């Protein structure tokens, strides 16, 4: 079968389509025939060597939508089930940008019945990242939350989920995104480029990596969560500072899938590319300006 991999670090040109064996599911695992797989910034980071692995053959892709076609012992799943899932391994030889992928059952959930495969494939990493970031913040209903980069894939889902949790949400993004973000649950809007008021919020989810500027917006004793471990601002003023280390969670992913079916979580596809054109897809991702995810289709 074919898979997108890298054996050297670099720009989009480093992405190769290679021939690899079809994987076999082990105990507690399922094999998914990939119908669609989203391309995320973490894939660009892996391609460029952020996570190391020089000289290794590294598979790309974290998100997947498709159909179970084989199960390992004790998997508790059925061939033919339509699912979404997330691979969280860094530097694994095979990711989801492939024709088949094997995942643990704890990383797989039923796909939203109302969405096509391309849209469903955008959900796992981004919705779980938003959901787990909000859990780290541990804010109570009625408390205030600033979300930077709110129009991005993680940020927009964070707006939706924070609204459902009863938080008072301020979205920071381009002025062109204000109407969209208010429609997804933002109570207030802050244009990108305008510095957040110091100490103005109980918590900040810093999806745009503003760092110290975002941390300064947190009140004394509040909470700050970013999306990249190791890039957290220095703690101070009693602020809890954390960074997301996203993990697979079948139960939460199933709940998020149901929210998508109810229209409370919106899947956005910016463009689709054939798997064979993965390098071109990486090049488009690098250009920026996307609203939604690029999706690869085998």
């Amino acid at each position: 079968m074919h898979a997108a991999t890298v054996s050297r670090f670099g720009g989009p040109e480093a992405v190769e389509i290679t021939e690899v064996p079809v994987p076999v599911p082990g105990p507690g695992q399922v094999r998914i025939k990939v119908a669609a797989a989203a391309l995320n910034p973490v894939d660009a980071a892996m391609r460029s060597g952020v996570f190391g692995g020089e000289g290794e053959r590294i598979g790309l892709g974290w998100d997947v939508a498709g159909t179970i076609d084989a199960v390992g012992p004790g998997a508790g799943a059925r061939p033919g089930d339509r699912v979404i899932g997330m691979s969280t391994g860094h530097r694994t030889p095979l990711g989801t940008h492939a024709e088949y992928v094997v995942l643990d059952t704890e990383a797989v959930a039923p796909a939203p019945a109302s969405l096509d495969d391309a849209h469903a494939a955008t959900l796992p990493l981004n919705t779980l990242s938003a959901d787990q970031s909000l859990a780290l913040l541990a804010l109570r209903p009625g408390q205030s939350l600033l979300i930077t980069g709110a129009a991005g894939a993680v940020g927009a889902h964070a707006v939706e989920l924070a609204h459902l949790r009863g938080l008072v949400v301020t979205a920071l993004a381009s002025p062109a995104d204000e109407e969209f973000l208010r429609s997804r649950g933002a109570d207030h809007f802050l244009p990108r480029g305008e510095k957040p008021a110091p100490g103005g919020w109980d918590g900040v989810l810093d999806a745009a990596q503003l760092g110290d500027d975002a941390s300064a917006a947190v009140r004394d004793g509040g909470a700050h969560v970013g999306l990249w471990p190791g890039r957290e601002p220095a703690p101070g003023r009693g602020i809890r500072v954390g960074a997301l280390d996203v993990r697979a969670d079948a139960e939460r992913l199933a709940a998020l899938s149901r929210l998508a079916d109810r229209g409370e979580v919106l899947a956005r596809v910016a463009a689709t590319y054939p798997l064979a054109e993965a390098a071109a897809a990486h090049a488009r991702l690098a250009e920026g300006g996307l609203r939604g995810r690029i999706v690869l289709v085998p």
Side-chain angles (χ1 to χ4, degrees):
M1 70 166 191
H2 294 103
T5 66
V6 292
S7 59
R8 59 185 176 88
F9 298 138
E13 73 285 348
V15 178
E16 303 173 285
I17 302 300
T18 53
E19 189 76 28
V20 299
V22 176
V24 177
Q29 294 183 321
V30 298
R31 185 173 68 204
I32 300 169
K33 180 175 174 55
V34 178
L39 174 63
N40 291 284
V42 69
D43 296 305
M46 292 174 66
R47 180 203 74 219
S48 60
V50 169
F51 302 110
E54 183 72 44
E56 301 175 17
R57 172 74 61 180
I58 300 172
L60 300 174
W62 286 49
D63 281 326
V64 65
T67 303
I68 294 174
D69 88 316
V71 300
R78 298 174 303 176
D81 285 350
R82 184 168 170 262
V83 295
I84 54 176
M86 183 179 76
S87 170
T88 56
H90 294 104
R91 295 167 52 180
T92 58
L94 179 65
T96 63
H97 294 170
E99 294 178 294
Y100 293 87
V101 66
V102 165
L103 296 178
D104 294 337
T105 52
E106 66 185 22
V108 175
S114 61
L115 298 185
D116 61 27
D117 291 317
H119 284 81
T122 69
L123 294 175
L125 175 60
N126 295 292
T127 58
L128 283 171
S129 293
D131 188 65
Q132 292 171 18
S133 294
L134 292 171
L136 282 174
L137 286 163
L139 299 179
R140 300 183 303 277
Q143 289 191 292
S144 59
L145 172 65
L146 172 66
I147 300 173
T148 74
V154 175
H157 289 317
V159 170
E160 295 166 331
L161 297 175
H163 172 73
L164 292 175
R165 289 172 180 242
L167 303 180
V168 180
V169 180
T170 300
L172 190 158
S174 165
D177 294 309
E178 179 176 0
E179 183 178 350
F180 165 72
L181 290 166
R182 288 188 181 276
S183 76
R184 302 315 302 165
D187 301 284
H188 308 288
F189 183 80
L190 191 64
R192 187 173 60 209
E194 185 173 322
K195 197 169 183 177
W201 289 269
D202 295 308
V204 171
L205 198 172
D206 188 17
Q209 299 184 60
L210 298 186
D212 289 339
D213 284 345
S215 182
V218 182
R219 64 163 176 81
D220 292 359
H224 174 286
V225 167
L227 301 183
W228 288 87
R231 300 183 184 178
E232 305 94 316
R237 299 185 290 115
I239 296 172
R240 291 184 292 108
V241 175
L244 176 70
D245 186 8
V246 66
R247 65 189 185 280
D249 185 332
E251 183 177 355
R252 284 304 300 157
L253 185 56
L256 293 162
S257 178
R258 292 190 293 270
L259 289 177
D261 266 333
R262 296 204 294 266
E264 293 176 302
V265 165
L266 179 67
R268 294 181 293 164
V269 174
T272 60
Y273 284 76
L275 176 63
E277 297 177 15
H282 275 252
R284 177 62 190 92
L285 177 65
E287 293 174 6
L290 296 169
R291 292 296 179 263
R293 286 289 180 236
I294 292 173
V295 177
L296 298 177
V297 179

